Amino acid sequence: MAASTARTERKILVAVDEGEESTYALSWCLKNVVTENSKDTLILLYAQPPRTVYTGLDGTGYLFSSDILATMDRYSNEMANCVTEKAKRICKELNNVKVETRAEPGDPRDVICQVAEKLGVDLVVIGSHGYGPIKRAFLGSVSNHCAKNLKCPVLIVKKAQIK
Amino acid sequence: MAASTARTERKILVAVDEGEESTYALSWCLKNVVTENSKDTLILLYAQPPRTVYTGLDGTGYLFSSDILATMDRYSNEMANCVTEKAKRICKELNNVKVETRAEPGDPRDVICQVAEKLGVDLVVIGSHGYGPIKRAFLGSVSNHCAKNLKCPVLIVKKAQIK
């Protein structure tokens, strides 16, 4: 089987967030994995942080008025739109591939694994920091979790550490 | 910049060994990452297990005659040839890409990271088992180590678990 025939109509999930690492990972994927004029679909997934419960020093939760809660939700939705729209623009600029965007509330580790499984994607692309040995031990948990738990291939793209 | 222009002359390191997982990872890479008629070079790397020191129950090492040691070395070299030749055939069959083979003695984790760094490769491809939650905690250390320590993008390809 020729390589090109196997490439048709792949679903590639790219985890996007506010950070530069995910922008770099998306760009790398567009340049190195997605072929021009392919039938690939890129699913840009943003894990929307769930609403935080603010707790007082005595352990009781703060109660916010509905106004404040509405503002917080609006801010969260605006952020999701901003991240996914930026990612869409990068796709348009680098490679005119078919793009879908999704924003799902929850921990990115769970959201990425659940959506990848549900949609039966062919590949998951995740950005990661190029940290030194100490930070590395504590961070990079999203890519590590996904590499361990996803059944499909996982591409971890690191943005080189700025020295 | 068009996606295709960025693809030229990439160096892709694929870790190969005796297992089915690395064969699957190599095939996946050939079908999904390497473009036909590209200028990519695939570096098929086999980490050759270092000569084992056999230890007696009293803690002393066994001394082998030079005949036995020569046989063990020959066997190890034959295994390296067998693995890399098989990988080369797969490349030839799936995608007529430029291929180099290397066999380096040592722990696969160190060998992969050292060679990737030395050659300045653009991508490292590693196979991995699709284990259940218990085995997963103990195994998959090669892909995990490489994902943590390599600076370049890492593609982890899992062979689905046979139920």
Side-chain angles (χ1 to χ4, degrees):
Chain A
M1 179 164 52
S4 57
T5 58
R7 286 169 175 273
T8 51
E9 299 182 38
R10 296 179 303 180
K11 279 193 244 178
I12 300 172
L13 188 150
V14 184
V16 294
D17 61 21
E18 300 83 352
E20 274 188 3
E21 294 75 25
S22 78
T23 308
Y24 184 77
L26 174 61
S27 310
W28 200 92
C29 168
L30 287 163
K31 286 182 193 165
N32 287 279
V33 182
V34 179
T35 47
E36 268 186 301
N37 307 317
S38 70
K39 287 178 182 166
D40 291 341
T41 301
L42 239 61
I43 300 145
L44 307 172
L45 174 65
Y46 175 67
Q48 214 165 353
R51 189 189 282 167
T52 317
V53 177
Y54 293 89
T55 315
L57 286 173
D58 58 354
T60 57
Y62 287 131
L63 283 177
F64 288 120
S65 69
S66 57
D67 274 8
I68 294 179
L69 291 178
T71 307
M72 286 161 75
D73 283 347
R74 203 176 57 237
Y75 173 77
S76 175
N77 291 334
E78 275 171 15
M79 181 56 85
N81 278 340
C82 179
V83 169
T84 51
E85 284 305 314
K86 182 188 162 198
K88 267 168 86 173
R89 277 202 307 278
I90 295 169
C91 293
K92 188 103 186 148
E93 217 170 276
L94 290 179
N95 189 324
N96 204 6
V97 68
K98 193 176 154 201
V99 170
E100 286 173 17
T101 58
R102 293 176 79 106
E104 304 268 349
D107 184 313
R109 291 174 292 192
D110 303 327
V111 168
I112 295 166
C113 291
Q114 281 159 9
V115 174
E117 190 90 7
K118 196 170 140 197
L119 302 182
V121 302
D122 299 286
L123 173 69
V124 168
V125 182
I126 307 172
S128 179
H129 288 272
Y131 290 116
I134 294 172
K135 271 197 177 176
R136 200 162 48 211
F138 298 100
L139 295 165
S141 68
V142 174
S143 57
N144 189 27
H145 179 92
C146 292
K148 274 195 173 174
N149 291 283
L150 280 168
K151 286 178 192 143
C152 69
V154 180
L155 174 64
I156 300 167
V157 183
K158 281 186 190 168
K159 192 167 186 313
Q161 196 176 6
I162 299 157
K163 286 173 185 167
Chain B
M1 179 166 49
S4 57
T5 59
R7 286 169 175 271
T8 52
E9 300 183 38
R10 296 179 303 180
K11 279 193 246 179
I12 301 172
L13 188 150
V14 184
V16 293
D17 61 20
E18 300 83 352
E20 274 188 3
E21 296 74 26
S22 77
T23 308
Y24 184 78
L26 173 61
S27 310
W28 200 93
C29 168
L30 287 163
K31 286 182 194 164
N32 287 279
V33 182
V34 179
T35 47
E36 270 186 299
N37 307 317
S38 71
K39 286 178 182 169
D40 291 341
T41 301
L42 239 61
I43 298 145
L44 307 173
L45 174 65
Y46 175 66
Q48 217 165 350
R51 191 189 281 168
T52 318
V53 176
Y54 293 89
T55 315
L57 286 173
D58 58 354
T60 57
Y62 287 129
L63 283 177
F64 288 120
S65 70
S66 57
D67 272 9
I68 294 178
L69 291 177
T71 307
M72 284 162 76
D73 283 348
R74 205 177 55 238
Y75 173 77
S76 173
N77 291 334
E78 276 171 15
M79 181 57 86
N81 279 340
C82 178
V83 169
T84 50
E85 284 305 314
K86 181 188 160 196
K88 268 169 84 174
R89 277 201 306 278
I90 294 169
C91 293
K92 188 101 187 153
E93 217 170 277
L94 290 180
N95 189 321
N96 204 7
V97 68
K98 193 175 153 201
V99 170
E100 287 173 18
T101 58
R102 291 176 80 107
E104 304 266 348
D107 184 314
R109 289 173 294 193
D110 303 326
V111 168
I112 295 166
C113 291
Q114 281 158 10
V115 174
E117 190 89 6
K118 196 171 140 196
L119 302 182
V121 301
D122 300 285
L123 173 67
V124 168
V125 182
I126 307 172
S128 179
H129 288 271
Y131 290 115
I134 294 173
K135 273 197 175 175
R136 201 162 49 211
F138 298 100
L139 297 164
S141 67
V142 174
S143 56
N144 189 27
H145 179 93
C146 293
K148 275 194 171 174
N149 290 282
L150 281 168
K151 287 178 191 142
C152 68
V154 180
L155 173 64
I156 301 167
V157 183
K158 280 186 193 170
K159 191 166 186 316
Q161 197 177 4
I162 298 157
K163 283 173 187 165

